[in-house]
Amino acid sequence: MSTQRKIMAADVLRHDWQHHDIAALFDLPFSDLLFEAQALHRQHFDPNAVQVSSLLSIKTGKCPEDCAYCPQSVRHDSELEVEALMPVADVLAAAKTAKEKGAMRFCMGAAWRSPKDKDLEPLFEMIKGVKAMGLETCVTLGMLKAHQAKNLREAGLDYYNHNLDTSPEYYEEIITTRTYEDRLDTLAHVRDAGMQVCCGGIVGMGEGRDDRIGLLQQLANQQRHPESVPINLLVRVKGTPLQDVEALDPIEFVRTIAVARILMPHSYVRLSAGREDMSDEMQALCFLAGANSVFYGEKLLTTPNASTDRDQALFNKLGINTLQ
Ligand code: SAM
Ligand code: DTB
Ligand code: SF4
């Protein structure tokens, strides 16, 4: 099948992508890949509109999992300031500030392997309070059981973020304390509960292109594509096992965004962690490649994000409007 035909097929939302199909997209000349991604992007989205989500770490550090990239793992010595679950009022105050600064969605993250039922009670209050401000709600709390996903949905939760992180093959190099299957199970509970799925991964962890292909293949072959697909560029945090991993070539990163756009043409593809170190030109290429969402605000969960002043200046220069 010609590349053009494959892309047309993607437009009817394929869920049967083969590794070699995706490899062929990655192999396209850069300009051809960007053109195809941008053309498809324009069929489904306003090319000058970007969705913005703000993040807050509501429970920081001391996580029992061993994710090699994460400063919040208890197994890494990352000089992190540990913080117990924040009081509901403080979370709502942060959400109010995020709303005033122009965020559309507020995403609350907790460094848990999986929450206990009683951990979720204050979360229900947070979700209700954030929603009452007119913000969309998202949380990322680790693995969920089916009834927990239903309870979160009943509290009004719009999105649950749970990433696959990398390919099934590279996964064991990165995390040993929970399986790929565990992650897929949580995603199924989130879907069954009727919530929207935010699911993506991290690149720049020393994986090969085959792993980037494998990650995107897993995402795009879900029964329904995740509505939101965060593509994180690893933030190399001192004290984590990945602190010295070789940086990913920026052009390869842009290719990854473009391929994600082509495979999941109706999804918001988020240019996620790692923007602080990206030039304006690299971010502009990512938007051209079909990224249409960012994390907005001075901080991600525990590491700095691009400043809001810099983002506003960049959006102005590029003629980008943020969605409200
Ligand atoms: N503990 C929960 C979990 O793992 O599902 C929720 C919080 S966890 C920090 C959310 C996501 O942040 C991870 O799945 C990972 O994709 C991303 N992340 C964590 N550390 C990162 C880093 N140093 N660079 C890029 N992304 C990172
Ligand atoms: C996602 O995919 N990236 C965000 C959000 N979902 C929760 C988290 C990025 C974390 C980067 C490292 C940190 O700040 O701790
Ligand atoms: Fe814990 Fe989530 Fe960090 Fe893994 S990514 S160590 S589960 S907080």
Side-chain angles (χ1 to χ4, degrees):
M1 205 194 284
S2 73
T3 305
Q4 185 62 43
R5 289 272 313 284
K6 273 179 208 144
I7 292 169
M8 296 294 284
D11 193 34
V12 291
L13 293 189
R14 276 181 64 182
H15 301 269
D16 61 349
W17 287 94
Q18 301 297 306
H19 192 94
H20 60 84
D21 296 331
I22 305 174
L25 292 172
F26 265 96
D27 281 341
L28 283 172
F30 187 69
S31 294
D32 292 350
L33 175 61
L34 255 67
F35 181 82
E36 298 298 352
Q38 175 65 202
L40 201 49
H41 185 52
R42 279 172 185 264
Q43 287 177 29
H44 300 289
F45 291 101
D46 173 349
N48 303 309
V50 165
Q51 186 277 339
V52 290
S53 296
S54 285
L55 277 171
L56 178 70
S57 180
I58 58 170
K59 184 267 171 188
T60 308
K62 277 204 178 158
C63 181
E65 301 277 50
D66 68 352
C67 311
Y69 49 76
C70 185
Q72 302 201 65
S73 167
V74 76
R75 298 163 199 240
H76 315 325
D77 191 10
S78 62
E79 298 167 9
L80 184 81
E81 221 169 286
V82 170
E83 218 189 310
L85 187 67
M86 286 172 69
V88 175
D90 293 1
V91 172
L92 297 185
K96 186 165 174 278
T97 306
K99 168 93 180 160
E100 283 162 3
K101 289 192 169 177
M104 175 185 184
R105 188 176 308 152
F106 193 64
C107 178
M108 296 162 270
W112 283 320
R113 169 178 163 78
S114 50
K116 298 187 190 68
D117 286 349
K118 76 169 171 31
D119 293 328
L120 290 183
E121 279 159 27
L123 261 297
F124 302 145
E125 296 311 307
M126 293 174 195
I127 291 163
K128 286 179 189 152
V130 172
K131 233 180 143 59
M133 291 175 199
L135 282 159
E136 291 181 339
T137 51
C138 175
V139 299
T140 179
L141 314 172
M143 290 183 285
L144 288 186
K145 300 196 178 77
H147 72 277
Q148 294 178 319
K150 285 198 180 74
N151 294 344
L152 286 165
R153 177 66 188 145
E154 277 158 20
L157 186 63
D158 299 307
Y159 288 81
Y160 195 82
N161 166 246
H162 200 62
N163 291 337
L164 291 177
D165 280 351
T166 188
S167 67
E169 294 75 21
Y170 197 61
Y171 186 83
E172 280 171 24
E173 304 286 323
I174 301 296
I175 301 139
T176 67
T177 49
R178 69 167 103 149
T179 64
Y180 217 77
E181 209 47 51
D182 289 332
R183 289 184 187 254
L184 293 169
D185 287 348
T186 292
L187 292 169
H189 297 326
V190 172
R191 271 283 176 239
D192 289 348
M195 284 184 284
Q196 312 214 55
V197 169
C198 173
C199 181
I202 313 176
V203 296
M205 298 196 293
E207 78 287 341
R209 179 181 278 183
D210 277 345
D211 297 304
R212 291 185 282 281
I213 292 171
L215 167 66
L216 294 179
Q217 183 183 17
Q218 287 290 327
L219 294 169
N221 288 348
Q222 302 279 301
Q223 231 167 46
R224 272 175 64 190
H225 293 164
E227 283 76 13
S228 161
V229 181
I231 305 292
N232 296 278
L233 179 60
L234 176 72
V235 179
R236 291 170 292 178
V237 182
K238 197 161 156 263
T240 62
L242 298 182
Q243 63 173 19
D244 295 320
V245 78
E246 199 184 327
L248 185 68
D249 175 57
I251 297 293
E252 180 70 8
F253 182 82
V254 179
R255 282 186 183 275
T256 308
I257 296 277
V259 174
R261 165 52 62 227
I262 292 169
L263 301 190
M264 293 167 280
H266 291 189
S267 304
Y268 280 86
V269 174
R270 181 170 310 120
L271 181 52
S272 305
R275 281 198 309 118
E276 202 202 12
D277 291 333
M278 291 179 198
S279 66
D280 285 0
E281 297 87 327
M282 179 173 171
Q283 293 189 60
L285 278 178
C286 289
F287 294 130
L288 195 63
N292 59 347
S293 169
V294 293
F295 284 124
Y296 182 70
E298 313 284 331
K299 214 171 167 191
L300 293 165
L301 290 175
T302 66
T303 62
N305 192 19
S307 76
T308 49
D309 286 351
R310 180 181 167 205
D311 279 347
Q312 283 304 337
L314 178 62
F315 295 158
N316 286 341
K317 270 197 284 190
L318 300 178
I320 283 177
N321 308 306
T322 55
L323 291 174
Q324 290 303 317

